[in-house]
Amino acid sequence: MASVNPFNLSDSEEEAERRPNETVDTERSPSDGAPGPPPGNPFSPSADAERPTLLLASNRTSPSGEGILVAAPSAMAGSAETRLSVDVIAAQLLRDQYILTALEFHTELLEAGRELPRLRDYFSNPGNFERQSGTPPAKDQALGPGGPLNRAGSISTLDSLDFARYSDDGNRESDERVAVLEFELRKAKETIQALRANLTQAAESEMPSQERKNFKSSPEIQEPIRPLEKRALNFLVNEYLLKNENKLSSITFSDENDDQDFEVWDDVGLNIPKPPDLLQLYRNCATSLPSPRDTADVSVGVDFGDLPGKCIVQEPPKKPDLSQQQQKEVVQELEYQISLLNNEKETLAEQIKKLQSEIQTLKWTVSYTTSNTQDLGSQNTSNTSSSCNNTPTPSIEPVSVLPTDNDQYLDIRGVSEPESDPGLSSIQNTSQSHQQSYIKLKSRPPVQFDQPNRKLSPAFQQALLSFCRMCSDSRLGAEVSRIADSEDSVMLMLGRCLPHIVPNVLLAKREELIPLILCTACLHPEPKERDQLLHILFNLIKRPDDEQRQMILTGCVAFARHVGPTRVEAELLPQCWEQINHKYPERRLLVAESCGALAPYLPKEIRSSLVLSMLQQMLAEDKADMVREAVVKSLGIIMGYIDDPDKYSQGFELMLLSLGDPSERVVSAVHQVFIPAFAAWTTELGTLHSALIPSLLARIEKLLVQGEHSLDEHKLHMFLSALQSLIPPLFAVVLQNAPFTSRAKLHRDIPAIEVTRFPRPASPLQDIATIIGNREMLSALLLLYDHQLEHEGTTGWESLLWVVNQLLPQLIEIVGRINVTSSTCVHEFSRFFWRFCRTFGKIFTNTKVKPQFQEILRLSEENVDASAGNGILTKATVPIYATGVLTCYNQEEDRKLLVGFLEDVMTTLSLSHAPLDSLKASFVELGANPVYHELLLTVLWYGVVHTSALVRCTAARMFELVLRGMSEALVDRRAAPALITLCSGPEFSVRISTIPAFGTIMETVTQKELLERVKMQLASFLEDPQYQDQHSLHMEIIRTFGRVGPNAEPRFRDDFVLPHLHKLALANNSQAVESKRIDIATQLFEAYSALSCCFISEEVMVNHFLPGLKCLRADMEQLSPEHEVILSSMIKECEIKVESRGMADAQGSMSIASSLVGEDAKTKFLSKMGQLTTSGAMLANVFQRKK
């Protein structure tokens, strides 16, 4: 029995069964041209009260028709059968809230290719499916044709749903069940939210008003926490734990409060606004407004009747919506405050009388000398007696004080108002203010207390006081019982107590003790105690972090400023020396940083001896990189304060030692701090250009002499980088010793320095403006510098003449001696000359640097054939001049000069048959920067169109170097056409020279059209009969295949490279010339060795790779037996791979055969799948339904 689709039964038929006696009206189609709906139109807005039912036929008409047949009663004359517009049907379905029917109708219209705008707009609007809160909208509000649909809010619309879910797939029952369950879930959530709101209101009002009044009137009694308050605090505490990464504590806290959901605040109470987090509450707690009781303005010595009412209490305005009970509570609270203030006024009046009676006594005590001051212990006894008899003591806070047993009260003003009458001050103070000097504090009178008018024996009184539990026999009790009365006694007390306090403070908070320790160490009179305190300071934290070390260093500097160099040497330095070999690197790091921070405050003899030796020892022996880095920085600071010329050699050795450090961060610190500080010192000594720079140049030359065969590139980099860091101080010396220095004046018309005028400094100490003093002075000096070079020359300018006549020639000579094939050396010297020329400026470069290089290179046509004249062109001078000098400035004339130089070098080297290493080094160094790719292609195009085949060959070989890293668009637009042009020439040598460049394109480019063009060109080299006897061409192709094959596209390797290598190996077996045969065999062996590491398919392995290896083995058996052994091993490994793959395929076939047992179930499953009419997306959802 076929399943019945519920959508086939019209809702109108069901309605007709429920109301069989009602009539059905029909409406004329809008296409009839009626001006409006007839009075009896059931779809008009006025027919909402009586909606007639449409009797739709059970066999639905196609949605593609113009209307739907409607059976009408005979009441409508002449219209037994009328077609209604689909839009009218849709409007009626939406009006009657038949949303699912309307959705099915909309789906079928879409499948038929017709889209109804009314349904599209309705189901595309998410507002039709959001729950409307509050009162329902009026009928005249435009809420859509069917009003809001009671569904949970969603960010998706019905357009984003899979409409196939609602098609006739037999799953309608389960979908309806899901819809019902979703509706029940929403209703349950609404019920929960409503109950939660009621519970919140109940929690607010669950405490009786009388109890709240009692808690308000007695603030010392804490009101018990309410359930609502507990849930709110739980939520805030959990939120605080999560924000501060205390996740485990948050999990434990959530488990202990499992009755609360900590994800949403609404679980606390829906009508309760969320307060700020705990941190914000804590910060704002001190700024909250005080209560009226705390801010009552109370006067002393004034009758109660004279007080204005508003000074006693200010009744807050009553809210119009307060209940009667709440108003009563407010009145009671205000009455209670009035009674308190009245009592306080009376007690204050009595207190004033007592104070006035003692004015004479106070005047007498002021004249007392310090010899009449009572002993501190007797004062303590008096204080104890006074406290037991409730004798008042002055209070500074203006709070209301409740009466004590003997009707005496505290003075609410105390000593906080020194401008008041002396009679209003406390008995413990004189008429002076809080800012009395130390001498006057020493001469204050003894404190007097009121003695009771009693006749108790002293023994009885002492026994009575013994019930006040005090402890003075322990160390802490003795400290507490002795109150310090002077600065010296405070220091002594801190010196005794701090060693006992520090171990009991949390490690994370011990830096809070640093100020206390330092102040005590500064002012304590005992050297032994000071030493102990400083020892505590350096051992305060076991492994101090950066912030804690900075805090300790700040304290050490403050201590040094306060006590002077003698005590720093005697007290602080021993603490550093003790921890120089501490097991924790953080402690040693603190020592290294302390030596630099304390350098300005040490005696100069100690700076250049003890501290320098300490740091040198740590630099040589410490194993931690961060410690040695701090040592180097501290050494730089020492170099900034040292003034002993005899220490220059030690400083130079320290520079070399730190430059050779294996850690990059240590070497970086050398360039950032040590070398600039050391250079500043040598500048003052006058040894920068006479000793320091020549020493480094001598070491470089010695290194080049010793390393003619194997140069130590690391040491060369070390010395050259040091020279590079000395360029800024050298230029500063040139400016400061120039003839125009005395004429430099600051004025407002000085232009600002261009941002690109100098290379970016490695640190502020290498900024020339910092070395000179300020940017304004540097700008003024630069203007005079350029003018001097351009118009007046260098006469009398000794520092610049040394650079031009001694430094530059020596550098150019060194450049000519380095190995041009060492890309590292070329790069290092290129960067050095670039920074050198940029620092000294464009005028200096054009007038002083370039002429010296051009004189040495001597590029001229008449010297082409002279081998002696071309020797320099093969050295590293060419690439360093091209990349280090000619690229300093990137203007048009500079680029033209660079292009012309490279063209001349390429032409000269090609025509003289000289090695091309210098030209290759230039192209490699320039090609690393994409900015110069266009320029290099311009140079190569000059070679492509040159008349000499030698120049064209050189240009073809240079393409291989510049294609790596070049954009594919540039390769396609300029490089590939140039190579094709070279291949079209008559010379075979030029064509052969293009093969490596074509191989590089196959290795680096992914554009299919370009790869096909290259493939066709290589195929023409291999298959064209004119190239069959070209031995050098075959050698170049095999060499290129071996180089690019492992990195090329697999399809290109399998379809082109390996088959042609097989052909070349097979052809080599019949080669008659033995020398050519062994050359080809050797190149084939290299190529096959490289390609054997690639993944090769079984078909290619069997058809080309293995046969090619066997042909090659046949050659090697006769020509090179040692290679034959290796080839036999390679062939055996390949055969084993093929056999293992065959066995794996056989096992796979067996598993397939065993799977045929379940063919019947498989056939049934596929037949069921074939019956499905759903889309591909729905088919995928079949396997994802259960999760």
Side-chain angles (χ1 to χ4, degrees), residues 698-916:
R699 279 170 169 76
I700 293 176
E701 290 180 340
K702 183 179 179 181
L703 198 64
L704 292 175
V705 172
Q706 295 175 350
E708 292 181 354
H709 302 289
S710 58
L711 179 64
D712 190 344
E713 295 183 353
H714 175 69
K715 285 189 176 181
L716 180 64
H717 167 73
M718 182 178 76
F719 296 140
L720 198 57
S721 63
L723 270 179
Q724 185 170 302
S725 296
L726 292 174
I727 293 175
L730 178 61
F731 184 65
V733 169
V734 170
L735 290 180
Q736 290 170 341
N737 296 327
F740 53 78
T741 304
S742 59
R743 303 197 308 266
K745 295 181 180 180
L746 299 179
H747 51 85
R748 296 184 179 180
D749 298 334
I750 298 178
I753 303 174
E754 295 182 5
V755 178
T756 58
R757 171 60 181 85
F758 296 104
R760 179 177 298 177
S763 75
L765 296 178
Q766 289 190 3
D767 188 353
I768 299 177
T770 305
I771 301 173
I772 295 294
N774 54 70
R775 300 194 70 83
E776 292 77 12
M777 178 58 70
L778 176 60
S779 180
L781 290 174
L782 286 177
L783 287 177
L784 298 172
Y785 169 79
D786 292 338
H787 182 270
Q788 181 84 13
L789 285 178
E790 193 170 6
H791 298 96
E792 300 180 16
T794 59
T795 304
W797 200 345
E798 295 183 0
S799 56
L800 187 64
L801 288 174
W802 177 86
V803 173
V804 174
N805 298 329
Q806 298 186 36
L807 179 62
L808 266 177
Q810 190 173 2
L811 286 172
I812 294 175
E813 182 186 356
I814 291 174
V815 163
R817 295 166 58 183
I818 67 174
N819 188 3
V820 69
T821 59
S822 174
S823 59
T824 304
C825 295
V826 172
H827 178 75
E828 292 290 340
F829 274 97
S830 174
R831 292 299 90 196
F832 172 81
F833 271 96
W834 187 88
R835 296 186 73 91
F836 180 83
C837 294
R838 290 287 298 185
T839 302
F840 277 81
K842 187 172 185 179
I843 298 176
F844 179 86
T845 303
N846 291 335
T847 59
K848 305 299 179 183
V849 180
K850 290 181 181 179
Q852 294 196 30
F853 273 99
Q854 292 169 358
E855 182 183 358
I856 292 176
L857 293 174
R858 293 195 303 275
L859 292 171
S860 59
E861 292 295 334
E862 57 270 14
N863 292 331
V864 169
D865 297 328
S867 59
N870 294 326
I872 191 65
L873 296 182
T874 62
K875 301 293 182 64
T877 310
V878 170
I880 291 173
Y881 175 61
T883 61
V885 178
L886 297 181
T887 60
C888 286
Y889 300 95
N890 203 23
Q891 296 180 359
E892 186 63 28
E893 59 270 17
D894 302 311
R895 297 175 70 88
K896 287 182 179 180
L897 184 61
L898 177 59
V899 169
F901 174 74
L902 292 176
E903 290 174 354
D904 293 342
V905 170
M906 181 170 61
T907 304
T908 305
L909 292 178
S910 301
L911 295 179
S912 60
H913 300 278
L916 302 176

Side-chain angles (χ1 to χ4, degrees), residues 589-729:
L589 182 59
L590 177 62
V591 172
E593 292 173 342
S594 299
C595 291
L598 295 174
Y601 312 103
L602 289 169
K604 59 180 182 179
E605 300 83 5
I606 298 299
R607 276 198 296 258
S608 57
S609 58
L610 177 61
V611 178
L612 197 61
S613 300
M614 289 171 57
L615 293 173
Q616 186 174 6
Q617 177 183 344
M618 296 181 72
L619 179 63
E621 298 178 358
D622 205 292
K623 297 180 180 180
D625 295 349
M626 61 179 182
V627 176
R628 297 199 305 276
E629 179 187 11
V631 167
V632 168
K633 293 180 179 179
S634 295
L635 281 172
I637 298 174
I638 293 293
M639 291 299 152
Y641 285 90
I642 200 169
D643 56 359
D644 184 2
D646 296 335
K647 297 295 180 181
Y648 166 79
S649 58
Q650 186 177 359
F652 184 76
E653 294 299 328
L654 286 173
M655 183 186 72
L656 296 181
L657 178 63
S658 54
L659 281 171
D661 196 278
S663 174
E664 291 185 4
R665 59 191 298 179
V666 176
V667 176
S668 177
V670 176
H671 292 292
Q672 292 177 3
V673 183
F674 185 88
I675 291 181
F678 188 61
W681 184 36
T682 57
T683 299
E684 296 178 13
L685 296 176
T687 57
L688 176 64
H689 59 278
S690 63
L692 181 56
I693 294 179
S695 298
L696 291 173
L697 290 174
R699 279 170 169 76
I700 293 176
E701 290 180 340
K702 183 179 179 181
L703 198 64
L704 292 175
V705 172
Q706 295 175 350
E708 292 181 354
H709 302 289
S710 58
L711 179 64
D712 190 344
E713 295 183 353
H714 175 69
K715 285 189 176 181
L716 180 64
H717 167 73
M718 182 178 76
F719 296 140
L720 198 57
S721 63
L723 270 179
Q724 185 170 302
S725 296
L726 292 174
I727 293 175

